[in-house]
Amino acid sequence: MYDVVIVGGGIVGVSLAYRLAEEGAGRVLLLEKGYLGGGSTFRCAGGIRASFTSREHIVLMKRSIELWGELREKLGVKYERSGYLWLISRERDVERFKEYSRVHNSFGVETRFVDEDFVKRVAPYVDTSSMVAALYDPLAGKASPFDAVYKQFLAARSLGVEFAVGREVDSVRVERGEARGVVVGNELIPARSVVVAAGAESVFLLRRSGVELPLAPVPHHAALTEEFGRLFDPLIIDVETGAYAVQTFHGHVLMGVEVEEEPFARPVVKLEFLEKVVSTWSKWLTWLPGANILRYWVGYYEVTPDHHPILGPVDGVENLYVATGFSGHGFMMAPVVAEELAEWIKSGKPKSEEAARLTLARFKEGRLIKELAVIG
């Protein structure tokens, strides 16, 4: 009998496994059907920020940023506070971002408007000729998804967590309103608590177990250039389109921009994306058309109706917990989600009131949360 079985070996599942092991939560098993990080985690940009517009996102992400710093100190995870820079090229967007900044500042996130000289210092290879304003977030940063998963996996394993990679969970066994474990093939793996942190797969797995999630996997695209020297430190965002670009720890430029996709669509590459991402970023990165794009991939955002995650226990099923629906913010939130879920499992309630508002029950009760600062 396991004390906790975690389904899903992305950043959320691995972070939770490490957290539970640190807190001596007993016998823990993590099951991953593919390879660790092989879902959305290794397809994400690695950006980390608290500059959102909802109390839930801001408060939880401020704590997550503290925990990212602890991961760097304890495990040597590649993480740095290199900032976010929102590049504005239309006058009509300025007042909107002034209001966002007022919200950030009211929660202690010190975003501020910066001048062209500042932009040139932190982003020397960004062309500012079309810039009318820029908002900077000094609290934000980035981490390496590969490093974060691998080092937490090694640490969790050294503390006794068992990992079963390449084993697909068919369903959660629910009897008389209580989760009893997970079913893999013909085998029941018994557990006192089950956590489903399987990203986009969560909706299908829990449906087979009688639990419906208001969650839709939506394909998102990203491309990676060849390696360069220092081009820009912050993750940069084109406000007009919501496109992002970040220079990785190795010097590659990772870029994303939204293209039209249907929920539950298969993740397939599209020439339209490459044309749009190069066209969008050529406004700011005028050297981009001469660069080589080395890789292009598609992953899922698992999107909820209010773009906030689904966390915590499932009403009507004792000992079953979920952590999914991050809508593109799962990597940055993983440390605080692990902390909150570990506390929930141990004591029956989370550490913060903000996490308590993110349960599945909010959709049935009509308590959706508003968030404006979602980027693609």
Side-chain angles (χ1 to χ4, degrees), residues 37 110 113 158 161 208 232 259 272-273 284 292 351:
E110 299 297 331
F113 278 81
S158 72
V161 174
R208 294 195 293 274
F232 49 90
V259 292
E272 170 195 356
F273 165 75
W284 304 104
N292 292 308
K351 290 176 72 73

Side-chain angles (χ1 to χ4, degrees), residues 36-355:
L36 298 180
S40 296
T41 301
F42 286 170
R43 301 164 199 266
C44 79
I48 296 165
R49 63 181 167 115
S51 41
F52 289 91
T53 62
S54 78
R55 178 184 183 88
E56 289 75 11
H57 268 153
I58 294 173
V59 171
L60 290 171
M61 274 307 308
K62 283 182 68 179
R63 175 58 182 156
S64 207
I65 287 170
E66 291 175 356
L67 294 169
W68 274 109
E70 292 181 13
L71 287 172
R72 178 179 56 196
E73 296 303 315
K74 287 194 293 188
L75 303 180
V77 169
K78 288 180 182 175
Y79 161 70
E80 64 182 26
R81 291 258 304 274
S82 46
Y84 265 45
L85 187 66
W86 308 73
L87 298 166
I88 302 172
S89 57
R90 301 182 301 192
E91 290 287 351
R92 66 176 186 262
D93 291 320
V94 174
E95 285 304 316
R96 178 163 61 96
F97 274 79
K98 284 182 178 176
E99 180 56 32
Y100 290 178
S101 186
R102 281 192 284 270
V103 174
H104 304 154
N105 294 170
S106 71
F107 285 98
V109 178
E110 299 297 331
T111 58
R112 65 183 188 274
F113 278 81
V114 292
D115 61 20
E116 187 173 355
D117 287 343
F118 180 90
V119 173
K120 287 293 187 186
R121 285 199 300 276
V122 298
Y125 288 88
V126 169
D127 186 334
T128 57
S129 57
S130 59
M131 187 182 89
V132 299
L135 182 71
Y136 181 64
D137 176 1
L139 183 63
K142 62 188 176 187
S144 162
F146 303 95
D147 210 48
V149 167
Y150 186 62
K151 286 179 175 168
Q152 289 190 94
F153 155 67
L154 290 177
R157 191 177 63 175
S158 72
L159 292 170
V161 174
E162 298 172 49
F163 287 82
V165 174
R167 296 195 73 188
E168 182 172 2
V169 172
D170 296 308
S171 63
V172 178
R173 174 68 60 83
V174 178
E175 295 176 351
R176 294 186 291 279
E178 184 174 357
R180 303 284 187 175
V182 298
V183 178
V184 179
N186 295 321
E187 179 188 2
L188 171 65
I189 300 176
R192 292 186 174 86
S193 296
V194 175
V195 181
V196 174
E201 295 292 328
S202 303
V203 66
F204 306 112
L205 171 62
L206 285 174
R207 183 173 294 160
R208 294 195 293 274
S209 309
V211 176
E212 287 292 333
L213 297 180
L215 182 155
V218 179
H220 278 249
H221 305 244
L224 191 79
T225 70
E226 60 189 304
E227 186 176 339
F228 295 96
R230 177 182 179 244
L231 299 171
F232 49 90
D233 301 325
L235 185 150
I236 56 177
I237 299 159
D238 173 51
V239 166
E240 182 176 352
T241 61
Y244 67 83
V246 59
Q247 190 166 21
T248 69
F249 289 89
H250 291 288
H252 309 278
V253 177
L254 197 165
M255 307 171 291
V257 67
E258 283 197 47
V259 292
E260 188 172 349
E261 289 283 6
E262 293 294 327
F264 293 94
R266 287 182 56 243
V268 295
V269 297
K270 296 180 175 181
L271 181 60
E272 170 195 356
F273 165 75
L274 285 175
E275 292 172 343
K276 185 172 181 181
V277 79
V278 172
S279 168
T280 299
W281 279 111
S282 293
K283 178 172 67 177
W284 304 104
L285 311 176
T286 52
W287 43 267
L288 184 62
N292 292 308
I293 291 179
L294 301 186
R295 293 176 58 211
Y296 162 33
W297 61 86
V298 191
Y300 279 124
Y301 278 21
E302 70 269 14
V303 179
T304 62
D306 63 3
H307 294 94
H308 283 73
I310 305 169
L311 298 182
V314 174
D315 277 359
V317 185
E318 291 291 321
N319 306 325
L320 176 60
Y321 300 82
V322 294
T324 188
F326 293 95
S327 306
H329 310 130
F331 180 75
M332 62 179 76
M333 293 189 79
V336 71
V337 167
E339 181 179 70
E340 294 285 355
L341 278 180
E343 183 66 24
W344 232 321
I345 293 168
K346 182 174 69 177
S347 70
K349 59 182 181 181
K351 290 176 72 73
S352 72
E353 61 184 86
E354 287 77 19

